[in-house]
Amino acid sequence: MTLCAVEAAEFDLRRTLESGQVFHWVERGDGFDGLIGSRPVHVRQEDGRLFVTAGMEDAVTHYFALDHPMDEIFGTFPHDSYTREAVASCRGIRIIRQPKWECLATFLTSAMKQVSHIRSMSRALRMRFGEAVEGTDLRAYPTAAALATATEAQLRGCGLGFRAPNLKATAEWIADGRVDLEALSEMETEAALVELCRLPGVGRKIANCVLLFAYERLDAVPVDVWIGRVLRAMRATGPVAELESYSRARFGPYAGYVQQYLFHHARVSKTLPKA
DNA sequence: ACCCAGGGGCAAG
DNA sequence: CTTGCCCATGGG
């Protein structure tokens, strides 16, 4: 397979793929195999460049958000020592641009699951309900229509546990148009969040993941157990909604980026801010 | 064996 | 407003 070079300064492929925002890429050979939507790609990083499947250069550039202005973004980060440690140790992580339904459904299954578990559920769902992609052993993420017609028992068979009825119900809402994921793109962030939270099994945390990872709302802050601990160590208090507004007020227009670096740093280093 | 995980929803205080 | 509890599963 011929590969083509793509410039990718200030980007770390492995860290980005392992930072808890996308769960289906597999390490293979000297790079990673994955799907962008239903299009197969192989990506390898070498120095400041990516080598990608010929014809996928533009799709890769968009998916991995290689156009994000990282100097400007880092320039808005707060200057406390913990955030500086996070930037130093997580450098190169991007907030990528994921397909909307795939992102929503994946994070719906993420409730109270570790990253490795989310990966295995994603794989099982793709294998059982996803379309085969020619020229690869990978399968596309199942459509909402496909998951709406699955039985709860089949979904439990993919390891979903109590998340099974939520995924089925939300798939039905999307498949029959009760919520239109494309229409959310035109809405204000807060209105889109309220709309997403109507879906069964979707609360503020999952809705913010979808807004951040699929709708380019780079100020959206998903508060999970890790970020909750980090923010409380920074003396934030109150319920999830209050931790979000604390973050946006303190971290600014790229609060979602700050959050992603703090999240990954806390997980990898197993440390919290001092005070 | 025991603990916890990129939560949500609902009841009770 | 807050806290407590349940939901199900797998990896450390």
Side-chain angles (χ1 to χ4, degrees):
Chain A
M1 181 198 305
T2 51
L3 299 179
C4 293
V6 174
E7 290 302 319
E10 193 58 54
F11 176 70
D12 190 311
L13 177 63
R14 175 183 299 278
R15 277 182 191 161
T16 297
L17 293 179
E18 292 177 352
S19 68
Q21 50 178 320
V22 64
F23 303 92
H24 78 275
W25 291 78
V26 291
E27 188 164 10
R28 217 171 264 171
D30 49 9
F32 294 85
D33 280 355
L35 298 173
I36 297 179
S38 58
R39 304 167 69 190
V41 204
H42 179 79
V43 187
R44 164 167 59 95
Q45 181 159 35
E46 205 173 286
D47 302 321
R49 293 200 294 180
L50 299 179
F51 292 88
V52 311
T53 309
M56 292 297 287
E57 299 93 323
D58 290 347
V60 163
T61 298
H62 183 261
Y63 184 77
F64 289 113
L66 299 180
D67 56 306
H68 277 172
M70 298 313 295
D71 286 343
E72 175 190 329
I73 290 170
F74 285 135
T76 67
F77 276 39
H79 299 293
D80 62 280
S81 61
Y82 190 78
T83 304
R84 279 201 303 270
E85 287 172 25
V87 171
S89 70
C90 303
R91 199 124 197 157
I93 291 177
R94 293 295 167 101
I95 303 290
I96 71 173
R97 297 187 179 103
Q98 298 187 49
K100 298 174 176 64
W101 164 248
E102 177 181 324
C103 183
L104 166 61
T106 302
F107 277 98
L108 186 39
T109 66
S110 76
M112 291 302 291
K113 277 292 186 185
Q114 294 177 350
V115 169
S116 63
H117 303 157
I118 302 169
R119 300 181 69 90
S120 72
M121 287 184 289
S122 165
R123 186 166 49 247
L125 287 168
R126 286 172 182 272
M127 286 306 136
R128 178 69 182 80
F129 300 105
E131 289 273 342
V133 177
E134 194 167 336
T136 169
D137 58 339
L138 300 175
R139 285 173 175 268
Y141 198 86
T143 63
L147 292 180
T149 55
T151 67
E152 186 180 319
Q154 288 175 321
L155 297 179
R156 285 178 185 271
C158 294
L160 292 186
F162 64 81
R163 305 155 197 81
N166 288 338
L167 182 59
K168 179 172 171 57
T170 285
E172 289 168 352
W173 282 50
I174 301 303
D176 67 24
R178 256 177 288 178
V179 167
D180 179 352
L181 291 183
E182 292 308 320
L184 295 185
S185 303
E186 312 304 322
M187 299 172 61
E188 299 290 334
T189 300
E190 187 58 33
L193 181 122
V194 169
E195 187 69 3
L196 285 169
C197 286
R198 292 174 55 214
L199 295 164
V202 178
R204 299 190 68 93
K205 190 275 173 180
I206 292 172
N208 275 303
C209 282
V210 176
L211 290 171
L212 179 60
F213 300 135
Y215 287 88
E216 304 188 62
R217 308 305 168 99
L218 298 182
D219 60 335
V221 177
V223 178
D224 74 319
V225 289
W226 289 94
I227 287 300
R229 287 196 282 250
V230 170
L231 294 175
R232 290 179 204 283
M234 291 176 170
R235 305 202 178 289
T237 56
V240 167
E242 197 167 331
L243 296 185
E244 289 168 22
S245 48
Y246 170 93
S247 305
R248 284 197 301 275
R250 172 163 175 172
F251 301 153
Y254 297 109
Y257 250 105
V258 179
Q259 168 276 151
Q260 191 66 12
Y261 276 71
L262 295 178
F263 168 78
H264 196 250
H265 180 57
R267 278 203 328 139
V268 172
S269 73
K270 302 181 192 301
T271 65
L272 290 175
K274 295 242 184 327

